[in-house]
Amino acid sequence: MSVITPPTDLLRQQDPKMADVLAGEAQRQAGSLQLIAAENFCSPAVLAALGSAFANKYAEGYPGARHHGGCEYADLAERVAVERAMALFGAEHANVQPHSGSSSVLAAYAALLRPGDTVLAMGLPYGGHLTHGSPANFSGRWFSFVGYGVDAETGLIDYEQVQELARAHRPKAIVCGSICYPRHPEYSVFREIADEVGAYLIADAAHPIGLVAGGAAPSPVPYADIVCATTHKVLRGPRGGMLLCTAELAERVDRAVFPFTQGGAQMHTIAAKAVAFGEAAGTAFTTYAHRVVANARTLAEALESAGLAVTTGGTDTHLICADPAPLGIDGLTARGRLAAAGIVLDTCALPYGDQRGIRFGTAAVTTQGMGEAEMLRIAALFAAALRGEGTRTRAAVGELAGDFPPYAA
């Protein structure tokens, strides 16, 4: 098995403790199954850009209008990233500076809202993100959020409820997007509701944007005023965020990112985003995105057959959420048993219940080259681990992971 390790000669000579830490993390990723829905393996080219000379460059501002000298190559890198993002998603404008998905949502709110404005978004118990109104987050402290939910029987978004709440509260903005909703939002319906009440439509597409790039999911760009996204997850780029918007909102969005919510752009990350956008424009990525969905559907079906209650009865995306209660355990216990077996995933909120479920995805294992046959193997290992067979399962997990190293030599 071959894994990426840091340039160990210099690092180990200067800081052997951190060399061990970085090597240990590389081995952890390679020796277990990475099913966290928000994670992936970016390419060696993306990693090279992240470790480039741009890590040294300060570049506050935008191309052609920086607050620092020596930005000619920084300007070029950012222009390439912006142009590739616009072409990839068919957007009129792109801002590639947000440091994270949460930063992109903050900037979208800053561009469109004022403190105290009402926002309609998916409620946190149904899969809404912290930036969709959590009282522990800036969103819940600065704005008045109203939460919509999902149908108690199907687990699908209740669009009639969305419309009723919009009519009753007349929000300044409506947010569509979730961290654990495995189906495609009906962006056109959200757009109709937003137009009816005179609201902006913000699409938080952090999870599906990579599938959008690969043509495996519908795009929110034609419908939303602003699309917030991450560049990691299925898109397989560096950890970071981006914003897509109409030309009309371009200046407001740019000013909301800098200088309102952020300082200097992270140019090494922006360069890596440009590399990822270039990769995502290729036919190989299109094939990858569709394989991610096929793998997720196979895994969801197999796990449902093994006794887990899969929310919404399946998935349209890379994302699967499930309730292990039929097996007699809760989400936290399930995550612990799976972790002991080398299967890494998260817990999540479950609609209309106090216990937590589990959330996982197929983006990373698909990057490793696994297909539907491996999804059936993972489902069997999953079930064995949940039955408490962690020790035996751990060896089988290590064998499977070893057959598909994330970075082959």
Side-chain angles (χ1 to χ4, degrees):
M1 178 176 65
S2 175
V3 300
I4 274 196
T5 56
T8 53
D9 289 345
L10 179 59
L11 181 61
R12 187 159 296 284
Q13 179 181 356
Q14 180 171 316
D15 195 333
K17 183 173 183 178
M18 283 309 302
D20 287 342
V21 170
L22 269 62
E25 172 60 12
Q27 291 290 346
R28 184 199 67 79
Q29 292 180 18
S32 52
L33 294 176
Q34 309 307 317
L35 294 182
I36 290 179
E39 292 185 352
N40 209 334
F41 294 105
C42 58
S43 72
V46 169
L47 290 176
L50 282 171
S52 69
F54 274 131
N56 304 323
K57 189 71 196 90
Y58 216 141
E60 276 188 336
Y62 290 100
R66 302 288 188 182
H67 292 250
H68 301 274
C71 288
E72 54 269 29
Y73 288 105
D75 287 358
L76 179 59
E78 186 164 346
R79 287 190 176 109
V80 169
V82 167
E83 289 167 2
R84 288 180 178 178
M86 291 169 60
L88 184 61
F89 297 105
E92 295 178 354
H93 181 70
N95 188 303
V96 297
Q97 290 195 11
H99 300 332
S100 68
S102 294
S103 295
S104 68
V105 176
L106 170 58
Y109 293 168
L112 302 178
L113 308 174
R114 294 293 180 269
D117 280 346
T118 299
V119 183
L120 178 60
M122 180 174 276
L124 271 65
Y126 309 104
H129 188 251
L130 288 173
T131 56
H132 300 170
S134 168
N137 183 261
F138 70 85
S139 57
R141 294 189 184 189
W142 292 353
F143 307 107
S144 177
F145 272 81
V146 178
Y148 60 82
V150 297
D151 182 88
E153 295 297 323
T154 66
L156 301 175
I157 293 173
D158 186 340
Y159 290 98
E160 290 186 4
Q161 183 196 45
V162 176
Q163 185 176 50
E164 291 170 0
L165 290 171
R167 288 172 174 173
H169 296 276
R170 315 297 292 191
K172 186 72 173 292
I174 298 175
V175 179
C176 58
S178 167
I179 59 171
C180 52
Y181 186 71
R183 302 294 183 173
H184 299 314
E186 295 186 30
Y187 297 116
S188 62
V189 176
F190 275 108
R191 180 75 264 174
E192 290 172 4
I193 295 171
D195 286 344
E196 179 186 341
V197 299
Y200 290 109
L201 180 61
I202 300 171
D204 188 346
H207 271 278
I209 199 67
L211 297 177
V212 173
S219 173
V221 171
Y223 303 99
D225 296 292
I226 300 178
V227 176
C228 309
T230 56
T231 50
H232 45 291
K233 300 185 176 73
V234 183
L235 191 54
R236 212 156 56 178
R239 296 194 60 82
M242 69 173 172
L243 292 156
L244 307 169
C245 69
T246 61
E248 179 184 4
L249 292 173
E251 184 176 358
R252 290 169 66 176
V253 164
D254 286 352
R255 288 184 177 274
V257 175
F258 175 85
F260 190 74
T261 61
Q262 290 187 181
Q266 296 181 348
M267 289 311 309
H268 59 307
T269 305
I270 289 175
K273 290 175 185 179
V275 174
F277 297 149
E279 292 175 347
T283 56
F285 188 88
T286 298
T287 300
Y288 162 75
H290 284 85
R291 285 187 64 197
V292 167
V293 176
N295 281 347
R297 287 175 170 164
T298 297
L299 183 57
E301 291 172 4
L303 288 174
E304 195 158 47
S305 297
L308 274 76
V310 176
T311 64
T312 76
T315 182
D316 295 328
T317 68
H318 65 298
L319 179 67
I320 305 164
C321 296
D323 185 358
L327 302 180
I329 55 177
D330 60 17
L332 287 172
T333 300
R335 183 179 69 176
R337 290 184 181 180
L338 290 162
I343 301 173
V344 186
L345 46 65
D346 295 324
T347 62
C348 66
L350 291 172
Y352 303 106
D354 295 329
Q355 292 189 346
R356 296 188 67 78
I358 49 176
R359 183 189 76 156
F360 44 101
T362 54
V365 291
T366 305
T367 293
Q368 290 174 263
M370 297 188 197
E372 294 179 58
E374 287 72 38
M375 297 307 105
L376 297 177
R377 289 178 63 186
I378 290 174
L381 294 170
F382 213 107
L386 292 179
R387 291 193 299 266
E389 302 172 16
T391 302
R392 181 180 65 82
T393 306
R394 184 67 183 87
V397 166
E399 181 180 347
L400 175 58
D403 290 339
F404 295 90
Y407 296 100

